Coordinates of all heavy atoms in Angstrom, one line a residue:
M25 N 114.0 97.9 101.4 CA 112.7 97.7 100.9 C 111.6 98.5 101.5 O 111.6 98.7 102.7 CB 112.3 96.2 101.1 CG 112.5 95.2 99.9 SD 112.0 96.0 98.3 CE 110.3 95.4 98.1
P26 N 110.7 99.1 100.7 CA 109.6 99.8 101.3 C 108.6 98.9 102.1 O 108.6 97.7 101.8 CB 108.9 100.4 100.0 CG 109.3 99.5 98.9 CD 110.7 99.0 99.2
S27 N 107.9 99.5 103.0 CA 107.0 98.7 103.8 C 105.8 98.2 103.0 O 105.4 98.8 102.0 CB 106.4 99.5 105.0 OG 105.5 100.5 104.5
A28 N 105.3 97.0 103.4 CA 104.2 96.4 102.7 C 103.0 97.4 102.7 O 102.2 97.4 101.7 CB 103.8 95.1 103.4
E29 N 102.9 98.2 103.7 CA 101.8 99.1 103.8 C 101.8 100.2 102.7 O 100.8 100.5 102.1 CB 101.9 99.8 105.2 CG 100.6 100.5 105.7 CD 100.9 101.1 107.0 OE1 101.6 100.5 107.9 OE2 100.5 102.3 107.2
V30 N 103.0 100.7 102.5 CA 103.2 101.7 101.4 C 102.9 101.1 100.0 O 102.3 101.7 99.2 CB 104.6 102.4 101.5 CG1 104.8 103.3 100.3 CG2 104.8 103.1 102.7
L31 N 103.4 99.9 99.8 CA 103.2 99.3 98.5 C 101.7 99.0 98.3 O 101.2 99.3 97.2 CB 104.0 97.9 98.5 CG 105.5 98.0 98.5 CD1 106.1 96.6 98.5 CD2 106.0 98.7 97.2
E32 N 101.0 98.6 99.3 CA 99.6 98.3 99.2 C 98.9 99.6 98.9 O 98.0 99.7 98.1 CB 99.1 97.6 100.4 CG 97.6 97.4 100.5 CD 97.1 96.4 99.4 OE1 98.0 95.8 98.7 OE2 95.9 96.3 99.2
R33 N 99.3 100.7 99.6 CA 98.6 102.0 99.4 C 98.8 102.5 97.9 O 97.9 102.9 97.3 CB 99.2 103.0 100.3 CG 98.6 104.4 100.2 CD 99.4 105.4 101.0 NE 98.8 106.7 100.9 CZ 97.9 107.3 101.7 NH1 97.5 106.6 102.7 NH2 97.4 108.5 101.5
G34 N 100.1 102.3 97.4 CA 100.4 102.7 96.0 C 99.5 101.9 95.1 O 98.9 102.5 94.1
R35 N 99.4 100.6 95.3 CA 98.6 99.8 94.4 C 97.1 100.2 94.4 O 96.5 100.3 93.4 CB 98.8 98.3 94.8 CG 98.4 97.3 93.8 CD 98.5 95.9 94.4 NE 97.6 95.7 95.5 CZ 96.3 95.5 95.3 NH1 95.7 95.5 94.2 NH2 95.5 95.3 96.4
V36 N 96.6 100.4 95.6 CA 95.2 100.8 95.7 C 94.9 102.1 95.1 O 94.0 102.3 94.3 CB 94.7 100.7 97.2 CG1 93.4 101.3 97.3 CG2 94.8 99.3 97.7
V37 N 95.7 103.2 95.4 CA 95.4 104.5 94.8 C 95.6 104.5 93.3 O 94.8 105.2 92.6 CB 96.3 105.7 95.5 CG1 95.7 106.0 96.8 CG2 97.7 105.4 95.5
M38 N 96.5 103.7 92.8 CA 96.6 103.6 91.3 C 95.3 102.9 90.7 O 94.9 103.3 89.7 CB 97.8 102.8 90.9 CG 99.1 103.6 91.0 SD 100.6 102.7 90.9 CE 100.4 102.1 89.2
S39 N 94.8 101.9 91.4 CA 93.6 101.2 90.9 C 92.4 102.1 90.9 O 91.5 101.9 90.1 CB 93.4 99.9 91.6 OG 92.9 100.1 92.9
Y40 N 92.4 103.1 91.8 CA 91.2 104.0 91.8 C 91.5 105.2 90.8 O 90.6 106.0 90.6 CB 91.0 104.6 93.2 CG 90.3 103.6 94.1 CD1 90.9 102.9 95.1 CD2 88.9 103.2 93.8 CE1 90.3 102.0 95.9 CE2 88.3 102.3 94.6 CZ 89.0 101.7 95.6 OH 88.3 100.7 96.4
S41 N 92.7 105.4 90.3 CA 93.0 106.5 89.4 C 92.9 106.0 87.9 O 92.4 104.9 87.7 CB 94.3 107.1 89.8 OG 94.6 108.2 89.0
D42 N 93.4 106.8 87.0 CA 93.3 106.4 85.6 C 94.5 105.7 85.0 O 94.6 105.5 83.8 CB 93.0 107.7 84.8 CG 94.1 108.7 84.9 OD1 95.1 108.5 85.6 OD2 93.9 109.8 84.3
C43 N 95.5 105.4 85.9 CA 96.8 104.9 85.4 C 96.7 103.8 84.4 O 97.4 103.7 83.4 CB 97.7 104.5 86.6 SG 97.6 105.6 88.0
F44 N 95.9 102.8 84.7 CA 95.8 101.6 83.9 C 95.1 101.8 82.6 O 95.1 100.9 81.8 CB 95.3 100.4 84.7 CG 96.3 100.0 85.8 CD1 96.1 100.3 87.1 CD2 97.4 99.3 85.5 CE1 97.0 99.9 88.1 CE2 98.4 98.9 86.4 CZ 98.1 99.3 87.8
I45 N 94.6 103.0 82.3 CA 94.0 103.3 81.0 C 95.2 103.3 80.0 O 95.1 102.9 78.9 CB 93.3 104.6 81.0 CG1 92.0 104.5 81.9 CG2 92.9 105.0 79.6 CD1 91.3 105.8 82.1
C46 N 96.3 103.9 80.5 CA 97.5 104.1 79.6 C 98.7 103.2 79.9 O 99.6 103.1 79.1 CB 97.9 105.5 79.7 SG 96.7 106.7 79.2
H47 N 98.7 102.6 81.1 CA 99.9 101.8 81.5 C 99.5 100.4 81.8 O 98.4 100.1 82.3 CB 100.6 102.3 82.7 CG 101.2 103.7 82.6 ND1 102.4 103.9 82.1 CD2 100.7 104.9 82.9 CE1 102.7 105.2 82.1 NE2 101.7 105.8 82.6
K48 N 100.4 99.4 81.5 CA 100.2 98.1 82.0 C 101.5 97.7 82.8 O 102.5 98.4 82.7 CB 100.1 97.1 80.8 CG 98.7 97.2 80.1 CD 98.6 96.5 78.8 CE 99.0 95.0 78.8 NZ 98.6 94.4 77.5
E49 N 101.4 96.7 83.6 CA 102.5 96.3 84.4 C 103.7 95.9 83.6 O 104.8 96.4 83.9 CB 102.1 95.2 85.4 CG 102.7 95.5 86.8 CD 101.8 95.0 87.9 OE1 102.0 93.8 88.2 OE2 101.1 95.7 88.5
S50 N 103.6 95.1 82.6 CA 104.8 94.6 82.0 C 104.7 94.7 80.5 O 105.6 94.1 79.8 CB 105.1 93.2 82.4 OG 103.9 92.4 82.3
D51 N 103.8 95.4 79.9 CA 103.8 95.7 78.4 C 103.5 97.2 78.2 O 102.9 97.8 79.0 CB 102.7 94.9 77.7 CG 103.0 93.4 77.6 OD1 104.0 93.1 77.0 OD2 102.2 92.7 78.2
K52 N 104.1 97.6 77.1 CA 103.8 99.0 76.7 C 102.4 99.2 76.3 O 101.8 98.3 75.7 CB 104.7 99.3 75.5 CG 104.8 100.8 75.2 CD 105.9 101.0 74.1 CE 105.9 102.3 73.5 NZ 104.8 103.2 73.6
K53 N 101.7 100.2 76.7 CA 100.4 100.5 76.2 C 100.5 101.9 75.5 O 101.4 102.1 74.7 CB 99.4 100.5 77.3 CG 98.0 100.1 77.0 CD 97.1 100.0 78.2 CE 95.6 99.8 77.8 NZ 94.7 99.9 78.9
L54 N 99.7 102.9 75.9 CA 100.0 104.3 75.5 C 101.2 104.8 76.1 O 102.0 105.6 75.5 CB 98.7 105.1 75.8 CG 98.4 106.3 74.9 CD1 98.0 105.7 73.5 CD2 97.3 107.2 75.5
G55 N 101.4 104.5 77.4 CA 102.6 104.9 78.1 C 103.5 103.7 78.3 O 103.1 102.5 78.0
P56 N 104.7 103.9 78.8 CA 105.6 102.8 79.1 C 105.1 101.8 80.1 O 104.4 102.2 81.0 CB 106.9 103.5 79.6 CG 106.4 104.8 80.1 CD 105.2 105.2 79.3
A57 N 105.6 100.5 80.0 CA 105.2 99.5 81.0 C 105.8 99.9 82.4 O 106.9 100.5 82.4 CB 105.8 98.2 80.6
F58 N 105.1 99.7 83.4 CA 105.6 100.0 84.8 C 107.0 99.3 85.0 O 107.9 99.8 85.7 CB 104.6 99.8 85.8 CG 103.5 100.8 85.8 CD1 102.2 100.4 86.0 CD2 103.8 102.2 85.7 CE1 101.1 101.4 86.0 CE2 102.8 103.1 85.7 CZ 101.4 102.7 85.8
S59 N 107.1 98.1 84.5 CA 108.3 97.3 84.7 C 109.5 98.0 84.0 O 110.6 98.0 84.5 CB 108.2 95.9 84.3 OG 107.8 95.8 82.9
D60 N 109.2 98.7 82.8 CA 110.3 99.4 82.1 C 110.7 100.6 82.9 O 111.9 101.0 83.0 CB 109.9 99.8 80.7 CG 109.8 98.5 79.8 OD1 110.4 97.5 80.1 OD2 109.1 98.6 78.7
I61 N 109.7 101.3 83.5 CA 110.0 102.5 84.3 C 110.9 102.0 85.5 O 111.9 102.7 85.8 CB 108.7 103.2 84.8 CG1 107.9 103.7 83.6 CG2 109.0 104.3 85.8 CD1 106.5 104.2 83.9
A62 N 110.5 100.9 86.1 CA 111.2 100.4 87.3 C 112.7 100.0 86.9 O 113.6 100.2 87.7 CB 110.5 99.2 87.8
A63 N 112.9 99.6 85.6 CA 114.2 99.2 85.2 C 115.1 100.5 84.9 O 116.3 100.4 85.0 CB 114.1 98.4 83.9
R64 N 114.4 101.6 84.6 CA 115.2 102.8 84.3 C 115.6 103.6 85.5 O 116.7 104.2 85.6 CB 114.3 103.7 83.4 CG 115.1 105.0 83.0 CD 114.3 105.9 82.1 NE 114.2 105.5 80.8 CZ 113.8 106.2 79.7 NH1 113.4 107.5 80.0 NH2 113.6 105.7 78.5
Y65 N 114.8 103.6 86.6 CA 115.1 104.5 87.7 C 115.3 103.7 89.0 O 114.4 102.9 89.3 CB 113.9 105.5 88.0 CG 113.5 106.3 86.8 CD1 112.4 106.0 86.0 CD2 114.3 107.4 86.5 CE1 112.0 106.8 84.9 CE2 113.9 108.2 85.4 CZ 112.8 107.9 84.6 OH 112.4 108.7 83.6
P66 N 116.4 103.9 89.7 CA 116.6 103.2 90.9 C 115.7 103.8 92.0 O 115.2 104.9 91.9 CB 118.1 103.5 91.3 CG 118.4 104.7 90.5 CD 117.5 104.8 89.3
M67 N 115.3 102.9 93.0 CA 114.5 103.4 94.1 C 115.3 104.2 95.1 O 116.1 103.6 95.9 CB 113.9 102.1 94.8 CG 113.1 102.3 96.0 SD 111.4 102.5 95.7 CE 110.9 100.8 95.5
N68 N 115.2 105.5 95.0 CA 115.8 106.3 96.1 C 115.0 107.6 96.2 O 114.1 107.9 95.4 CB 117.3 106.6 95.7 CG 117.5 107.5 94.5 OD1 116.7 108.4 94.2 ND2 118.5 107.1 93.7
S69 N 115.3 108.4 97.2 CA 114.3 109.5 97.6 C 114.3 110.5 96.4 O 113.3 111.1 96.2 CB 114.7 110.1 98.9 OG 116.1 110.5 98.9
S70 N 115.4 110.7 95.7 CA 115.4 111.7 94.6 C 114.4 111.3 93.5 O 113.6 112.1 93.1 CB 116.8 111.9 94.0 OG 117.7 112.1 95.0
Y71 N 114.5 110.1 93.1 CA 113.7 109.6 92.0 C 112.2 109.5 92.4 O 111.3 109.8 91.7 CB 114.2 108.3 91.4 CG 115.3 108.6 90.4 CD1 116.6 108.0 90.7 CD2 115.2 109.4 89.3 CE1 117.6 108.2 89.8 CE2 116.2 109.6 88.5 CZ 117.5 109.0 88.7 OH 118.5 109.3 87.9
I72 N 112.0 109.1 93.7 CA 110.6 109.0 94.2 C 110.0 110.4 94.1 O 108.9 110.6 93.7 CB 110.6 108.5 95.6 CG1 111.0 107.0 95.6 CG2 109.2 108.6 96.2 CD1 111.2 106.4 97.0
Y73 N 110.8 111.5 94.5 CA 110.3 112.8 94.4 C 110.0 113.3 93.0 O 109.0 113.8 92.6 CB 111.2 113.8 95.1 CG 110.8 115.2 95.0 CD1 109.7 115.6 95.8 CD2 111.4 116.1 94.2 CE1 109.2 116.9 95.7 CE2 110.9 117.4 94.0 CZ 109.8 117.8 94.8 OH 109.3 119.1 94.7
I74 N 111.1 113.1 92.1 CA 111.0 113.6 90.8 C 109.8 112.9 90.0 O 109.0 113.6 89.4 CB 112.3 113.3 90.0 CG1 113.4 114.1 90.5 CG2 112.1 113.5 88.5 CD1 114.8 113.7 90.1
L75 N 109.7 111.6 90.1 CA 108.6 110.9 89.4 C 107.2 111.2 90.0 O 106.3 111.3 89.2 CB 108.9 109.4 89.4 CG 110.2 109.0 88.6 CD1 110.4 107.5 88.8 CD2 110.0 109.3 87.1
S76 N 107.2 111.4 91.3 CA 105.8 111.7 91.9 C 105.4 113.1 91.4 O 104.2 113.3 91.1 CB 105.9 111.7 93.4 OG 106.7 112.7 93.9
Q77 N 106.3 114.1 91.2 CA 106.0 115.4 90.7 C 105.6 115.3 89.2 O 104.7 116.0 88.8 CB 107.1 116.4 90.9 CG 107.3 116.7 92.4 CD 106.1 117.2 93.1 OE1 105.4 118.1 92.6 NE2 105.7 116.5 94.2
R78 N 106.2 114.4 88.5 CA 105.8 114.2 87.0 C 104.4 113.7 86.9 O 103.7 114.0 86.0 CB 106.8 113.4 86.3 CG 108.1 114.1 86.1 CD 109.1 113.3 85.3 NE 110.4 113.9 85.2 CZ 111.6 113.3 85.0 NH1 111.6 112.0 84.9 NH2 112.7 114.0 85.0
I79 N 104.0 112.8 87.9 CA 102.7 112.2 87.8 C 101.7 113.4 88.1 O 100.7 113.5 87.4 CB 102.5 111.1 88.9 CG1 103.3 109.9 88.5 CG2 101.0 110.7 89.0 CD1 103.4 108.8 89.6
I80 N 102.0 114.2 89.1 CA 101.1 115.3 89.4 C 101.0 116.4 88.3 O 100.0 116.9 88.0 CB 101.5 115.9 90.8 CG1 101.3 114.9 91.9 CG2 100.7 117.2 91.1 CD1 101.8 115.2 93.2
L81 N 102.2 116.8 87.8 CA 102.3 117.9 86.9 C 102.2 117.5 85.4 O 102.0 118.4 84.5 CB 103.6 118.7 87.1 CG 103.8 119.2 88.5 CD1 105.2 119.8 88.6 CD2 102.8 120.3 88.8
G82 N 102.3 116.2 85.1 CA 102.3 115.7 83.7 C 103.7 115.7 83.2 O 104.6 116.4 83.8
T83 N 103.9 115.0 82.1 CA 105.3 114.9 81.7 C 105.3 114.5 80.2 O 104.3 113.9 79.7 CB 106.1 113.9 82.5 OG1 107.5 114.0 82.1 CG2 105.7 112.5 82.4
K84 N 106.4 114.8 79.5 CA 106.5 114.3 78.1 C 108.0 114.3 77.8 O 108.9 114.9 78.5 CB 105.8 115.3 77.2 CG 106.4 116.7 77.3 CD 105.7 117.6 76.3 CE 106.5 119.0 76.4 NZ 105.9 120.1 75.8
G85 N 108.3 113.6 76.7 CA 109.7 113.6 76.1 C 110.6 112.6 76.7 O 111.8 112.5 76.3
M86 N 110.2 111.9 77.8 CA 111.2 110.9 78.4 C 111.1 109.6 77.7 O 112.1 108.8 77.8 CB 110.8 110.7 79.9 CG 110.8 112.0 80.8 SD 112.3 112.9 80.8 CE 113.4 111.7 81.5
W87 N 110.0 109.2 77.1 CA 109.8 107.9 76.5 C 109.4 108.0 75.1 O 109.3 107.0 74.4 CB 108.8 107.1 77.3 CG 109.2 106.8 78.7 CD1 109.0 107.7 79.8 CD2 109.9 105.7 79.2 NE1 109.5 107.1 80.9 CE2 110.1 105.9 80.6 CE3 110.3 104.5 78.6 CZ2 110.7 104.9 81.4 CZ3 110.9 103.5 79.4 CH2 111.1 103.8 80.8
G88 N 109.1 109.1 74.6 CA 108.6 109.2 73.2 C 107.9 110.5 73.1 O 108.1 111.5 73.8
N89 N 106.9 110.5 72.2 CA 106.2 111.8 71.9 C 104.8 111.8 72.5 O 104.1 112.8 72.3 CB 106.0 111.9 70.4 CG 107.3 112.1 69.7 OD1 108.2 112.8 70.2 ND2 107.5 111.4 68.6
V90 N 104.4 110.8 73.2 CA 103.1 110.8 73.9 C 103.2 111.6 75.2 O 104.1 111.3 76.0 CB 102.5 109.4 74.1 CG1 101.0 109.5 74.4 CG2 102.7 108.6 72.8
V91 N 102.2 112.4 75.5 CA 102.2 113.2 76.7 C 101.4 112.5 77.8 O 100.4 111.9 77.5 CB 101.6 114.6 76.4 CG1 101.4 115.4 77.7 CG2 102.4 115.4 75.4
M92 N 102.0 112.5 79.0 CA 101.2 112.1 80.2 C 100.5 113.3 80.8 O 101.2 114.3 81.1 CB 102.0 111.4 81.3 CG 101.1 111.1 82.5 SD 101.7 109.8 83.5 CE 103.0 110.6 84.4
P93 N 99.2 113.4 80.8 CA 98.5 114.5 81.4 C 98.7 114.7 82.8 O 99.1 113.7 83.5 CB 97.0 114.2 81.1 CG 96.9 112.7 80.9 CD 98.2 112.3 80.4
P94 N 98.5 115.9 83.4 CA 98.7 116.1 84.8 C 97.6 115.5 85.6 O 96.5 115.2 85.1 CB 98.6 117.7 84.9 CG 98.0 118.2 83.7 CD 98.2 117.1 82.6
H95 N 97.9 115.2 86.9 CA 96.9 114.7 87.9 C 96.9 115.6 89.1 O 97.4 115.2 90.1 CB 97.3 113.3 88.3 CG 97.3 112.3 87.1 ND1 98.3 112.1 86.2 CD2 96.3 111.4 86.8 CE1 97.9 111.1 85.4 NE2 96.7 110.7 85.7
P96 N 96.3 116.8 88.9 CA 96.4 117.8 90.0 C 95.7 117.4 91.3 O 95.9 117.9 92.4 CB 95.8 119.0 89.4 CG 94.9 118.5 88.3 CD 95.6 117.3 87.8
N97 N 94.8 116.4 91.2 CA 94.0 116.0 92.4 C 94.7 114.9 93.2 O 94.2 114.5 94.3 CB 92.6 115.5 92.0 CG 91.9 116.6 91.3 OD1 92.0 117.8 91.7 ND2 91.0 116.2 90.4
I98 N 95.9 114.4 92.7 CA 96.6 113.4 93.5 C 97.5 114.1 94.5 O 98.3 115.0 94.1 CB 97.4 112.5 92.6 CG1 96.4 111.7 91.7 CG2 98.2 111.5 93.3 CD1 97.0 110.8 90.7
S99 N 97.5 113.7 95.8 CA 98.3 114.3 96.8 C 99.8 113.9 96.6 O 100.1 112.8 96.0 CB 97.9 113.9 98.2 OG 98.1 112.5 98.4
D100 N 100.7 114.7 97.1 CA 102.1 114.3 97.1 C 102.3 112.9 97.7 O 103.1 112.1 97.1 CB 103.0 115.3 97.9 CG 103.1 116.6 97.2 OD1 102.7 116.8 96.1 OD2 103.8 117.5 97.8
K101 N 101.7 112.6 98.8 CA 101.8 111.4 99.5 C 101.4 110.2 98.7 O 102.0 109.2 98.6 CB 101.1 111.4 100.8 CG 101.6 110.5 101.8 CD 101.2 110.9 103.2 CE 101.8 109.9 104.2 NZ 100.9 108.9 104.7
D102 N 100.2 110.3 98.0 CA 99.7 109.3 97.2 C 100.6 109.1 96.0 O 100.8 107.9 95.6 CB 98.2 109.5 96.8 CG 97.2 109.2 97.9 OD1 97.6 108.6 98.9 OD2 96.1 109.6 97.7
A103 N 101.0 110.2 95.4 CA 101.9 110.0 94.2 C 103.2 109.3 94.5 O 103.7 108.5 93.8 CB 102.2 111.4 93.6
E104 N 103.7 109.6 95.7 CA 104.9 109.0 96.2 C 104.7 107.5 96.4 O 105.5 106.6 96.0 CB 105.5 109.6 97.4 CG 106.2 111.0 97.0 CD 106.8 111.7 98.2 OE1 106.9 111.1 99.3 OE2 107.2 112.9 98.0
A105 N 103.6 107.1 97.0 CA 103.2 105.7 97.2 C 103.1 105.0 95.8 O 103.6 103.9 95.7 CB 101.9 105.6 98.0
M106 N 102.5 105.7 94.8 CA 102.4 105.1 93.5 C 103.8 104.8 92.9 O 104.1 103.8 92.4 CB 101.7 106.1 92.5 CG 100.2 106.2 92.8 SD 99.5 107.5 91.8 CE 97.8 107.4 92.2
V107 N 104.7 105.8 93.0 CA 106.1 105.6 92.5 C 106.8 104.5 93.2 O 107.4 103.7 92.6 CB 106.9 106.9 92.6 CG1 108.3 106.7 92.2 CG2 106.3 108.0 91.8
I108 N 106.6 104.4 94.5 CA 107.3 103.3 95.3 C 106.8 102.0 94.8 O 107.5 101.0 94.6 CB 107.1 103.5 96.8 CG1 107.9 104.7 97.2 CG2 107.5 102.3 97.6 CD1 107.6 105.2 98.6
Y109 N 105.5 101.9 94.6 CA 104.9 100.7 94.1 C 105.5 100.3 92.7 O 105.9 99.2 92.4 CB 103.4 100.7 94.0 CG 102.8 99.5 93.4 CD1 102.7 98.3 94.0 CD2 102.3 99.6 92.0 CE1 102.3 97.1 93.4 CE2 101.9 98.4 91.4 CZ 101.8 97.2 92.1 OH 101.4 96.1 91.5
I110 N 105.5 101.3 91.8 CA 106.0 101.1 90.4 C 107.5 100.7 90.5 O 107.8 99.7 89.8 CB 105.8 102.4 89.6 CG1 104.3 102.7 89.3 CG2 106.5 102.2 88.2 CD1 104.1 104.1 88.8
L111 N 108.3 101.4 91.2 CA 109.7 101.1 91.2 C 110.0 99.7 91.9 O 111.0 99.1 91.7 CB 110.5 102.2 91.9 CG 110.5 103.5 91.2 CD1 111.4 104.5 91.8 CD2 110.8 103.4 89.7
S112 N 109.0 99.3 92.7 CA 109.2 97.9 93.4 C 109.1 96.8 92.3 O 109.4 95.7 92.7 CB 108.2 97.8 94.5 OG 106.9 97.4 94.0
L113 N 108.6 97.1 91.1 CA 108.4 96.1 90.1 C 109.7 95.8 89.4 O 109.7 94.9 88.5 CB 107.3 96.6 89.1 CG 105.9 96.9 89.7 CD1 105.1 97.5 88.6 CD2 105.3 95.6 90.2
R114 N 110.8 96.5 89.7 CA 112.1 96.2 89.1 C 112.4 94.7 89.4 O 112.4 94.3 90.6 CB 113.1 97.1 89.7 CG 114.5 97.0 89.1 CD 115.5 97.8 89.9 NE 116.7 98.0 89.1 CZ 117.2 99.2 88.8 NH1 116.6 100.3 89.2 NH2 118.3 99.2 88.1
E115 N 112.9 94.0 88.4 CA 113.3 92.7 88.5 C 114.7 92.6 89.1 O 115.5 93.5 88.8 CB 113.2 91.9 87.2 CG 111.8 91.5 86.9 CD 111.6 91.1 85.5 OE1 112.5 90.6 84.9 OE2 110.5 91.2 85.0
A116 N 115.0 91.7 89.9 CA 116.3 91.5 90.5 C 117.3 91.3 89.4 O 117.0 90.6 88.4 CB 116.3 90.3 91.5
D117 N 118.5 92.0 89.5 CA 119.4 91.9 88.4 C 120.8 91.3 88.9 O 120.8 90.7 89.9 CB 119.6 93.2 87.6 CG 119.7 94.4 88.5 OD1 120.1 94.3 89.7 OD2 119.4 95.5 88.0
Ligands
LIG208 C1 96.5 109.4 79.2 C2 97.5 108.4 79.4 C3 98.2 108.3 80.7 C4 97.6 108.2 82.0 C5 96.2 108.3 82.3 C6 98.7 108.0 82.9 N1 99.9 108.0 82.3 FE1 101.8 107.8 83.1 N2 102.6 108.1 81.3 C7 102.0 108.2 80.1 C8 102.9 108.5 79.0 C9 102.6 108.7 77.5 C10 104.2 108.5 79.6 C11 105.5 108.8 78.9 C12 105.7 110.3 78.9 C13 107.1 110.7 78.4 O1 107.5 110.2 77.3 O2 107.8 111.5 79.1 C14 104.0 108.3 81.0 C15 105.0 108.2 82.0 C16 104.8 107.8 83.3 C17 105.9 107.7 84.3 C18 107.4 107.8 84.0 C19 107.8 109.3 84.0 C20 109.2 109.5 83.6 O3 109.7 110.6 83.9 O4 109.9 108.6 83.1 C21 105.3 107.3 85.4 C22 106.0 107.0 86.8 C23 103.9 107.3 85.2 N3 103.6 107.6 83.9 C24 103.0 107.0 86.2 C25 101.6 107.1 86.0 C26 100.6 106.9 87.1 C27 101.0 106.5 88.5 C28 99.4 107.2 86.6 C29 98.1 107.3 87.3 C30 97.9 108.3 88.3 C31 99.6 107.5 85.1 N4 100.9 107.4 84.9 C32 98.6 107.8 84.3 C33 100.6 108.2 79.9 C34 99.6 108.2 80.9

């Protein structure tokens, strides 16, 4: 499990960014629900890296035809904290 400190950092940096304009925690909005993203990708260092780079560089084609714009002002560290927070929303299976 990630530390409470990293989870809190992820939650806070997301609330100061534009994420919740397009995403909700458990319902689809313009982008996929964070809980659906958490269900698709396991929490490990490869996915934390890949998804954090997609937040920074933008991404498309993984969930449909809507594009996620790039976030060039988000640092690697903050993007990784965001991904750790999102992936922590995975429900126990
Ligand atoms: C303008 C709308 C918009 C904003 C703002 C936005 N997203 Fe997204 N996001 C999307 C869409 C649309 C997708 C699905 C793209 C696709 O199909 O590949 C997505 C996908 C994702 C994914 C999954 C990527 C994958 O490869 O499966 C993550 C993680 C994510 N967003 C996190 C964030 C975070 C964190 C923020 C805030 C910094 C954010 N998004 C802001 C629209 C947005």
Side-chain angles (χ1 to χ4, degrees):
M25 255 326 262
S27 71
E29 199 182 316
V30 174
L31 291 176
E32 177 63 9
R33 181 188 178 95
R35 198 183 63 73
V36 169
V37 284
M38 282 171 65
S39 69
Y40 284 109
S41 186
D42 60 1
C43 319
F44 289 104
I45 294 172
C46 297
H47 294 278
K48 286 170 51 169
E49 219 149 83
S50 48
D51 287 300
K52 193 175 172 338
K53 208 175 173 188
L54 211 68
F58 286 137
S59 58
D60 288 341
I61 295 172
R64 181 180 287 192
Y65 303 103
M67 174 94 75
N68 64 41
S69 54
S70 311
Y71 283 118
I72 293 169
Y73 177 74
I74 291 167
L75 294 173
S76 67
Q77 292 305 305
R78 288 183 186 155
I79 293 169
I80 294 171
L81 301 172
T83 187
K84 61 176 184 193
M86 304 302 299
W87 296 86
N89 297 317
V90 191
V91 172
M92 173 157 75
H95 294 85
N97 297 327
I98 296 177
S99 68
D100 287 356
K101 202 159 183 263
D102 282 349
E104 285 181 11
M106 290 174 174
V107 173
I108 291 167
Y109 174 74
I110 293 167
L111 296 185
S112 77
L113 300 172
R114 185 187 195 123
E115 282 165 26
D117 42 24

